Amino acid sequence: GEDVEQSLFLSVREGDSSVINCTYTDSSSTYLYWYKQEPGAGLQLLTYIFSNMDMKQDQRLTVLLNKKDKHLSLRIADTQTGDSAIYFCAEKGAQTSYDKVIFGPGTSLSVIP
Amino acid sequence: GAVVSQHPSWVICKSGTSVKIECRSLDFQATTMFWYRQFPKQSLMLMATSNEGSKATYEQGVEKDKFLINHASLTLSTLTVTSAHPEDSSFYICSARGDRAYSPLHFGNGTRLTVT
């Protein structure tokens, strides 16, 4: 079945760039998403990218998609302590149920002051 | 825009009682809503897909008689945990999707359920 994988932990210093990586198996993925979850809260949509795009930039966030390798990354420039959270990669594929979104396990980002 | 409101944010109940959690889309119509369960330090587990005006679709292993879902309008879905037991204690999160193919999921802030 479809699967999404991420490294579980990432630690960076404040002011540096963070890069969170994600791989997925569904070659028919149509949309890929990045969500942020702060402790005790729901998920906040950060950004999403269509599968026919290679890159999307939104302020400090840059999403890169390598469809051939089924690899998605989220780069956070000038990482701040407020960026500490869990980041979930998610994908929606044409092969899955129309509404079903598959989530990765989440990457816990720690920002060191 | 695209705000999803979930209530209550936390609830403590005794074993054997039922608890209802509400999920509302505040500024858009949600033809489809989803209910997730999240264990500590784990990802989201999809429990069921709720479609307005029809029966919910439950994922394998989720007891439909225990987790009752009602999606009576385009802006409201409810999850009722019936005869709750301590093992039902968890973080429950709802999400809603608009009516366009590329509409992303928008999440509520979750409900922390503790069953004593």
Side-chain angles (χ1 to χ4, degrees), chain B residues 16-109:
Chain B
T17 60
S18 295
V19 173
K20 180 185 282 188
I21 302 170
E22 291 189 348
C23 181
R24 293 180 186 272
S25 57
L26 296 186
D27 52 359
F28 67 103
Q29 292 186 328
T31 54
T32 306
M33 290 184 172
F34 305 86
W35 289 95
Y36 294 84
R37 184 172 180 176
Q38 187 179 33
F39 293 100
K41 300 188 187 302
Q42 293 190 27
S43 189
L44 287 76
M45 181 191 79
L46 178 64
M47 298 174 66
T49 302
S50 166
N51 294 298
E52 185 267 337
S54 63
K55 289 184 179 179
T57 304
Y58 290 82
E59 295 298 302
Q60 193 171 8
V62 178
E63 298 175 61
K64 61 180 67 176
D65 293 331
K66 180 164 190 60
F67 298 101
L68 300 179
I69 291 171
N70 183 281
H71 193 153
S73 75
L74 284 170
T75 59
L76 173 65
S77 176
T78 60
L79 168 68
T80 301
V81 183
T82 63
S83 187
H85 291 283
E87 56 265 30
D88 298 325
S89 298
S90 192
F91 193 55
Y92 293 87
I93 311 176
C94 73
S95 69
R97 187 181 67 78
D99 55 5
R100 297 181 180 178
Y102 58 82
S103 295
L105 294 177
H106 299 281
F107 286 81
N109 276 330

Side-chain angles (χ1 to χ4, degrees), chain A:
Chain A
E2 299 82 15
D3 193 22
V4 178
E5 295 193 356
Q6 304 173 238
S7 53
L8 298 182
F9 302 99
L10 176 65
S11 182
V12 299
R13 291 201 176 277
E14 190 174 18
D16 289 349
S17 292
S18 307
V19 179
I20 302 171
N21 294 300
C22 169
T23 58
Y24 57 96
T25 58
D26 185 357
S27 58
S28 67
S29 285
T30 52
Y31 307 99
L32 297 120
Y33 310 91
W34 283 105
Y35 286 89
K36 175 184 180 182
Q37 185 181 34
E38 297 182 359
L43 275 68
Q44 172 195 355
L45 176 68
L46 288 179
T47 186
Y48 62 96
I49 188 169
F50 300 144
S51 60
N52 61 357
M53 298 169 64
D54 298 324
M55 185 183 86
K56 181 178 180 181
Q57 186 157 3
D58 183 3
Q59 299 182 337
R60 293 192 296 123
L61 305 178
T62 303
V63 178
L64 295 178
L65 174 61
N66 183 326
K67 196 172 180 181
K68 175 176 171 289
D69 293 338
K70 301 191 193 69
H71 181 268
L72 182 74
S73 68
L74 173 69
R75 178 177 181 270
I76 305 173
D78 187 24
T79 311
Q80 303 296 307
T81 54
D83 295 325
S84 293
I86 299 176
Y87 291 80
F88 290 95
C89 168
E91 66 97 10
K92 188 172 102 164
Q95 298 300 327
T96 60
S97 165
Y98 178 68
D99 291 322
K100 198 166 182 177
V101 173
I102 308 296
F103 285 86
T107 299
S108 178
L109 173 65
S110 297
V111 181
I112 304 166

